[in-house]
Amino acid sequence: MPDLEAVYKMVEDKYHCSDKLLPPDFSIPGLMAEICQSVVQLGTQHTVEHITQSRTVGNGSTSKCVEGGSASSTTAPQPHSALSRTTHDVHDISKGQENVKIPIANESGRGKCPPSFSYVPGNEVFQNGIVNISLAQIGAEDCCADCFGDCLSAPVPCACARVTGGEYAYTPGGLVKPDFIDKCVSMNRVPEAHHKVFCKTCPLERSRDKASPEPCRGHLVRKFIKECWSKCRCSTRCGNRVVQRGIRFNLEVFSTGNGRGWGLRTQNALPKGAFVCEYAGEILTCAEVQERAVENMKNARYTHAVVLDAGWSSGGSLKDEEALCLDGTFYGNVGRFINHRCRDSNLAMVPVQVETPDRHYYHVAFFTSRKVEALEELTWVCMYVCMHSLFLLIVLSNEAKHKHCLLVRPRKVCTRL
C-alpha cells in the first residue's frame, strides 16, 4: 500500500501539471477512479522496485543503478546522510516526476551512474528561508483577474506583462522573444556593462564574516518574466504559462567522457528561446549554504548552488532569512547536470516569477540562447556563479577545478581552461 500523500500528489499533478484543472468531463466518480488508479500504480511501482534492484536486462546492464550502497525503494524525503543509498533509474532519472522520461546514457561502458541525490521537480525549503507563497499575497496589480482564454491573443497585454515592460516575453509558439534572450545573454557574459545595485550591508558578505563583512560587490538588475498563475482568470493553456508547465523536450543525462563528469544534452534540435528546464533544489539562506559548502568540502562533494540575488534591488536591506539560494546537491532536478562554459554556452538563465510577486524568490529557468542541435550538450555561462557565489562552489581551497572552469582563489573571477 503506497503512502497516501504520494497518491494525493499524483492525482494533484494529473489535474494541475497536465493542464486538466477543470476538464469538461470532470466528475466525482472520475476523481475517485483517478485516486484508485494512482494507488494501484504507486503500489505496483513500489513492488517492482524491490524485484528489479538486482535483476539485469539486455546485455547484462542493470535497469537501476545505485551509487554508494544498496538500493532503497522509498521515495519519501531522506536525511542528507542517507542519500548515498539513492537509486537511479537509467530509463528515467526523474522516476516519472516530469512530463517526459529523462534517461541516463553512459557511453563509456564503465557501469557508473550519476552521484547520489533525491530527484525533486520543484523547489523545497530547507530550513530557515522564508518564501511567502499564498493567493492572499497576490494583489490585483500582480495578476490578470479580468482576463480569459489566452492572454497572448488579447489586443492589450495583461497586468502580468508589466514586469517585462508592458509586453509579453513569450511568442505565441512558447518561445522567449529573441531581443529578450539576447539581453539576458549579454548580462551573463558582460555583467560589467549592465546596471548593478549595491547593498549597504550585503547578505552574501555577511554570511562569510558576520563580525566584519566586506563591502558589497554589486548585484545585477536582471530582466524578469512574470507568468500568469492561479489567481489569474486566463486559461491554464494561456501562452504566458511556460515554465510552470515543466519540461517538454526530450533530454538526456550523459557521461561527458572528457573529465567534466556528467552533463545534460537534448535528444532533438531546439530553436532559440525554447524553455529547457529550471534549476530546482533546496531553498536555503546564504548563511546555510556557506555552512553546507564547508561541510561538503570535508566530504569531497561539490555544492551545486545559485544565489537568488536578481531581485535584491526591489527592496531595502534584506534580512538573513530573505537572502536566498538554490542548492541542488542533495535534492535537485536535471538542472544540476548542466555544465558551465564561460563564453560560448547555449543556454541563458532567466528569473521567472510564478506563484509569488516577491522577487526575493523566483524560478531559475534555462532557455536556449541560440539554435541547439540534437545531441549537443547544454551549457550555461558560469560568470554569474563565479562573480556572485564563488564560496558556494568549494572555493575554500586555494585551487579548485569545477567542471569547465578554474577557480584561482576565493572571491576571484574564474578563467577558462
Side-chain angles (χ1 to χ4, degrees), residues 116-133:
S116 299
F117 74 99
S118 287
Y119 196 99
V120 290
N123 298 325
E124 303 285 347
V125 177
F126 169 63
Q127 187 168 316
N128 295 329
I130 293 181
V131 179
N132 294 318
I133 299 176

Side-chain angles (χ1 to χ4, degrees), residues 15 19-27 237:
Y15 277 84
D19 299 328
K20 299 190 330 188
L21 184 59
L22 288 175
D25 57 346
F26 176 81
S27 66
R237 299 186 181 274

Side-chain angles (χ1 to χ4, degrees), residues 200-218:
K200 293 182 179 179
T201 56
C202 182
L204 276 178
E205 301 300 332
R206 197 164 60 233
S207 65
R208 294 169 181 160
D209 188 351
K210 291 185 178 182
S212 55
E214 294 187 9
C216 179
R217 300 161 196 269

Side-chain angles (χ1 to χ4, degrees), residues 125-132 201-204 206-207 210 283-289 308 312 317-325 358-361:
V125 177
F126 169 63
Q127 187 168 316
N128 295 329
I130 293 181
V131 179
N132 294 318
T201 56
C202 182
L204 276 178
R206 197 164 60 233
S207 65
K210 291 185 178 182
I283 305 170
L284 290 83
T285 65
C286 293
E288 288 173 333
V289 174
L308 301 182
W312 287 8
S317 179
L318 293 183
K319 300 177 181 178
D320 287 340
E321 62 270 19
E322 295 175 327
L324 305 175
C325 305
D358 184 359
R359 288 199 177 185
H360 299 157
Y361 169 74

Side-chain angles (χ1 to χ4, degrees), residues 179-359:
D179 290 346
F180 192 97
I181 278 289
D182 291 341
K183 290 178 181 178
C184 293
V185 170
S186 177
M187 286 186 175
N188 288 331
R189 294 181 178 174
V190 195
E192 63 274 8
H194 296 273
H195 179 60
K196 295 181 181 179
V197 294
F198 294 84
C199 308
K200 293 182 179 179
T201 56
C202 182
L204 276 178
E205 301 300 332
R206 197 164 60 233
S207 65
R208 294 169 181 160
D209 188 351
K210 291 185 178 182
S212 55
E214 294 187 9
C216 179
R217 300 161 196 269
H219 310 278
L220 282 172
V221 180
R222 292 183 175 271
K223 296 181 68 64
F224 270 80
I225 293 178
K226 170 66 174 72
E227 293 194 354
C228 299
W229 198 53
S230 294
K231 207 167 184 177
C232 298
R233 295 292 297 275
C234 54
S235 167
T236 56
R237 299 186 181 274
C238 171
N240 196 39
R241 302 172 186 241
V242 174
V243 172
Q244 61 193 270
R245 290 198 182 108
I247 299 173
R248 296 292 176 180
F249 296 105
N250 295 316
L251 306 176
E252 183 178 64
V253 176
F254 74 107
S255 178
T256 61
N258 55 9
R260 292 186 293 116
W262 296 88
L264 186 68
R265 64 188 177 192
T266 170
Q267 296 182 357
N268 311 106
L270 303 179
K272 180 178 180 179
F275 171 64
V276 175
C277 67
E278 64 175 284
Y279 188 94
E282 292 178 276
I283 305 170
L284 290 83
T285 65
C286 293
E288 288 173 333
V289 174
Q290 173 77 339
E291 295 173 359
R292 179 172 291 184
V294 174
E295 188 64 27
N296 284 350
M297 187 187 69
K298 296 177 182 177
N299 299 320
R301 286 187 84 118
Y302 288 116
T303 301
H304 302 263
V306 174
V307 182
L308 301 182
D309 67 343
W312 287 8
S313 61
S314 59
S317 179
L318 293 183
K319 300 177 181 178
D320 287 340
E321 62 270 19
E322 295 175 327
L324 305 175
C325 305
L326 281 179
D327 182 23
T329 305
F330 299 107
Y331 295 87
N333 69 341
V334 294
R336 74 195 301 277
F337 293 104
I338 301 177
N339 284 314
H340 306 300
R341 292 184 70 90
C342 293
R343 291 293 173 184
D344 56 349
S345 63
N346 50 27
L347 296 181
M349 187 280 288
V350 181
V352 178
Q353 293 180 357
V354 180
E355 60 277 273
T356 173
D358 184 359
R359 288 199 177 185

